[in-house]
Amino acid sequence: MKKKIIFWLLLPAVMLFTYSCKKTKIESQICLHNSSIDYLKRWAVVYTQTDNYDDQGHLLKSIIVYPNGYFQINSDFTYNLFSDGVPINGKWNINENCQFVLNPNTNNERRFSVTQLSVDSLTILQSINYTKITEHYAAFTCPNYSSLEYKWDSAFTLQTSYSIDTLYQAKYTYPGGYYKFNADASYSLLTADMQTSQSGTWGIAQPGCLLVLDRNKPNETSYDVQKLTADSLTIWRKDTAARINYLQHYVRHK
């Protein structure tokens, strides 16, 4: 009888200990409301990992991809996302569960846990049924003048028409020609298909690390620098009048 009494007295303690152990398995997350780190900036895409599990929690498959692009979080609760395609714009917020939410209260809503945040890194996790998608970002480095001061030959352009909520009629064009950015902040442009040339001034503007041609002039044009390597340059611009996105690819002249 005494053993039974001891068993029933110990049972709640054992259950509490077991529950505490299970509770620690809940994924921790960082609440951006309380963060002292400035996350309102542009983050470069490093890689995305997708893990698929069975209903017992066993990992079935893991896939890692390395897309080009960036994720820009703006202070006005908007964001800009570019990842191997046309940039996507939307809104964000932080909900009552400290989740980082993109496109809240829409059909495209996506909820993330912030699992890592430092001055130079950001990691967010999205769980969908038995799938976990982890997106890794690093601090974005703006191009400097010396990295652009070359002649860049046009390779191709991805031209995409758009309406209010959709993209359509994507097509590749091969206009030829080149951009030449000089150290004295001048540039020259030749468009081979139109047989036209143009010259003026160029620079890099903030926010957004924009490549700006002929600033403060009637023909001012700005480009979003999507990718810059030692031998390639990708820039993007939106023609709001024609409702066309232009993703222009160049290679460094040899």
Side-chain angles (χ1 to χ4, degrees):
M1 183 68 179
K2 186 181 291 186
K3 291 182 178 179
K4 289 184 178 180
I5 293 173
I6 293 173
F7 171 77
W8 288 109
L9 289 173
L10 290 175
L11 183 59
V14 172
M15 292 179 66
L16 179 62
F17 176 76
T18 304
Y19 174 75
S20 299
C21 290
K22 289 182 178 179
K23 195 173 182 180
T24 58
K25 293 182 180 179
I26 296 176
E27 291 170 354
S28 62
Q29 63 178 6
I30 297 168
C31 193
L32 296 180
H33 276 310
N34 305 322
S35 176
S36 60
I37 297 173
D38 180 19
Y39 59 89
L40 300 173
K41 56 185 178 182
R42 180 173 291 193
W43 299 92
V45 177
V46 180
Y47 68 93
T48 298
Q49 180 171 332
T50 302
D51 297 322
N52 296 312
Y53 297 84
D54 62 19
D55 56 3
Q56 301 298 313
H58 301 124
L59 181 64
L60 299 176
K61 183 172 61 174
S62 184
I63 300 174
I64 297 178
V65 295
Y66 298 88
N68 296 310
Y70 64 78
F71 179 35
Q72 183 168 314
I73 307 173
N74 304 310
S75 60
D76 62 355
F77 294 97
T78 63
Y79 74 87
N80 311 97
L81 175 65
F82 177 83
S83 181
D84 280 348
V86 175
I88 298 172
N89 304 318
K91 295 183 178 181
W92 67 273
N93 69 17
I94 303 168
N95 67 16
E96 66 278 5
N97 298 317
C98 283
Q99 291 175 307
F100 182 61
V101 185
L102 299 185
N103 310 312
N105 304 315
T106 70
N107 293 332
N108 297 321
E109 180 177 288
R110 299 173 65 195
R111 299 183 179 185
F112 296 87
S113 296
V114 180
T115 59
Q116 168 68 28
L117 176 64
S118 67
V119 174
D120 54 10
S121 68
L122 169 68
T123 304
I124 56 178
L125 168 67
Q126 181 183 23
S127 297
I128 308 173
N129 297 324
Y130 301 122
T131 301
K132 293 184 178 181
I133 304 171
T134 308
E135 301 179 11
H136 296 261
Y137 299 92
F140 186 91
T141 302
C142 279
N144 55 40
Y145 284 81
S146 61
S147 63
L148 286 166
E149 291 168 357
Y150 299 102
K151 182 178 180 180
W152 300 92
D153 296 323
S154 177
F156 64 91
T157 295
L158 176 59
Q159 180 176 313
T160 311
S161 300
Y162 69 90
S163 60
I164 295 175
D165 58 359
T166 188
L167 299 169
Y168 60 95
Q169 293 182 346
K171 66 177 182 180
Y172 288 90
T173 62
Y174 302 88
Y178 64 80
Y179 263 118
K180 187 174 186 298
F181 299 111
N182 304 309
D184 63 357
S186 66
Y187 78 89
S188 56
L189 162 67
L190 174 66
T191 306
D193 59 349
M194 298 176 62
Q195 293 297 314
T196 59
S197 61
Q198 180 179 321
S199 61
T201 59
W202 71 280
I204 300 172
Q206 296 292 353
C209 307
L210 297 176
L211 172 62
V212 181
L213 307 183
D214 303 305
R215 191 169 189 176
N216 297 323
K217 295 180 180 179
N219 61 331
E220 177 179 322
T221 307
S222 62
Y223 295 89
D224 206 344
V225 179
Q226 305 291 4
K227 182 181 179 182
L228 175 62
T229 68
D231 54 10
S232 69
L233 170 65
T234 303
I235 57 178
W236 175 87
R237 71 179 177 90
K238 179 186 291 288
D239 186 335
T240 55
R243 292 197 170 187
I244 298 176
N245 294 310
Y246 295 94
L247 189 63
Q248 301 171 215
H249 295 256
Y250 295 86
V251 294
R252 184 174 166 183
H253 185 77
K254 296 181 180 179

